[in-house]
Amino acid sequence: MEQVQKKKSQFKIIRKENDDEGLIYLLDKLVICSRCHNKVNGHRILIKEEKIPVYRCRKHHKIRAKKEQFELEVIKCANQFFFEILNPTLSLFINECIQDEHNVFNRLTQQSQKKIQFIEERITKAMHRLIESGEIVNLPKQIQKDQKELEDLNRVNEEWEGKKFSAIEKLKLVEVYQKNQEQRIDKIIDEEMEDVLKQLLLCDIVDSIVLTEADAHVNFKHPHYQELGGHERIELG
Ligand SMILES: [Zn+2]
């Protein structure tokens, strides 16, 4: 559900990326200028009295690529990357990595919960002793220390619980993703697709594209396992 919401919000943003003549720039938000590191968005420029759609840095006019050709090249690489990440052996590997991640945090939270319980019991016992002795004006140093430690432990534990939970979520997403893509493994991004869908799929796996005068460096990421990436260089004609 969260994923659907995310896609929807992306969709809204993407709808605004059309230029005045209704053209959608598939790589908007992804392309970065190699010189100033600013985002390079698509727009039309006049070349020999013709308005040509390009990606061009607003500051560095030599950093540019013609829209159509550039997008086709990036899509070609993207399909190759999709093909690689959907390889069954790799899928297995990713699942195992996330499973390991989950196990680590599971062990950590179990340990910290035991410790939390131990300290809580120690505080309770000490408090009982204090109440019985009738001297509860000043809390002994040990109880103060324990309370501080308890606070820290609870905070860390919460963090680990979150990581454990997100590993489970990641695992679910990866499985759904793998299942969905299995049927269309030969070519994920198809020319016939709606531009908006192409754009969503590209955003799933392209982390950034660094544009120079001569070439473009496409940095890929796995949609649900960011540690796994790839790199491809495209020469600009
Ligand atoms: Zn620039």
Side-chain angles (χ1 to χ4, degrees):
M1 198 57 215
E2 200 183 312
Q3 198 63 4
V4 176
Q5 288 295 340
K6 215 171 121 195
K7 291 268 181 220
K8 270 190 182 164
S9 65
Q10 275 174 339
F11 189 79
K12 265 185 226 148
I13 298 166
I14 284 159
R15 288 300 288 258
K16 289 183 209 147
E17 306 296 331
N18 304 358
D19 71 2
D20 45 333
E21 282 164 61
L23 213 52
I24 290 183
Y25 292 85
L26 299 179
L27 308 175
D28 258 352
K29 295 202 184 333
L30 297 175
V31 186
I32 296 164
C33 169
S34 63
R35 288 214 215 151
C36 62
H37 307 290
N38 283 327
K39 286 259 178 312
V40 174
N41 290 325
H43 53 273
R44 287 175 201 259
I45 59 166
L46 265 181
I47 300 176
K48 292 177 192 152
E49 291 177 32
E50 208 186 331
K51 278 165 98 185
I52 310 273
V54 294
Y55 292 88
R56 186 178 75 168
C57 178
R58 302 253 172 206
K59 249 196 213 160
H60 305 102
H61 287 180
K62 283 189 176 167
I63 306 277
R64 75 176 193 207
K66 278 189 185 162
K67 177 187 186 295
E68 297 296 324
Q69 195 189 348
F70 186 40
E71 287 177 354
L72 276 178
E73 287 294 324
V74 172
I75 287 174
K76 210 161 82 186
C77 299
N79 277 332
Q80 182 59 34
F81 185 72
F82 268 123
F83 186 74
E84 282 166 19
I85 60 174
L86 294 170
N87 169 312
T89 319
L90 188 63
S91 300
L92 213 64
F93 168 74
I94 294 169
N95 286 9
E96 274 174 20
C97 285
I98 301 176
Q99 192 66 55
D100 280 349
E101 199 177 298
H102 171 261
N103 292 346
V104 168
F105 287 110
N106 197 28
R107 250 196 326 273
L108 285 172
T109 47
Q110 277 173 0
Q111 283 167 2
S112 67
Q113 269 155 7
K114 258 191 209 157
K115 211 162 171 193
I116 286 171
Q117 205 185 346
F118 176 77
I119 294 178
E120 273 173 351
E121 278 168 13
R122 195 158 69 188
I123 294 177
T124 313
K125 273 185 202 155
M127 289 299 279
H128 274 302
R129 275 199 302 274
L130 267 186
I131 292 167
E132 276 166 18
S133 69
E135 298 168 10
I136 36 175
V137 192
N138 293 314
L139 276 185
K141 283 242 159 59
Q142 184 56 44
I143 296 185
Q144 291 177 20
K145 228 173 106 190
D146 277 352
Q147 280 176 334
K148 174 79 183 55
E149 194 179 353
L150 201 59
E151 255 173 49
D152 292 344
L153 272 171
N154 273 318
R155 201 180 47 241
V156 171
N157 187 56
E158 212 171 283
E159 208 176 290
W160 287 340
E161 283 283 359
K163 293 214 166 142
K164 198 173 88 180
F165 180 73
S166 87
I168 297 173
E169 290 297 294
K170 245 198 262 183
L171 209 55
K172 280 190 215 155
L173 280 175
V174 169
E175 272 161 18
V176 170
Y177 190 76
Q178 282 158 355
K179 234 177 245 153
N180 283 347
Q181 306 292 0
E182 265 160 22
Q183 299 99 351
R184 323 179 258 159
I185 195 146
D186 55 326
K187 207 194 238 175
I188 303 290
I189 305 175
D190 201 287
E191 286 98 87
E192 307 300 311
M193 271 178 186
E194 295 254 340
D195 277 348
V196 182
L197 186 56
K198 282 185 197 168
Q199 201 169 29
L200 284 179
L201 286 165
L202 282 168
C203 283
D204 264 355
I205 61 161
V206 176
D207 182 57
S208 62
I209 303 169
V210 181
L211 196 59
T212 79
E213 276 181 44
D215 56 17
H217 297 262
V218 189
N219 299 309
F220 291 108
K221 57 170 199 233
H222 189 283
H224 305 302
Y225 191 65
Q226 308 246 338
E227 289 80 355
L228 193 88
H231 175 257
E232 214 41 76
R233 179 177 165 267
I234 296 171
E235 221 161 300
L236 300 172

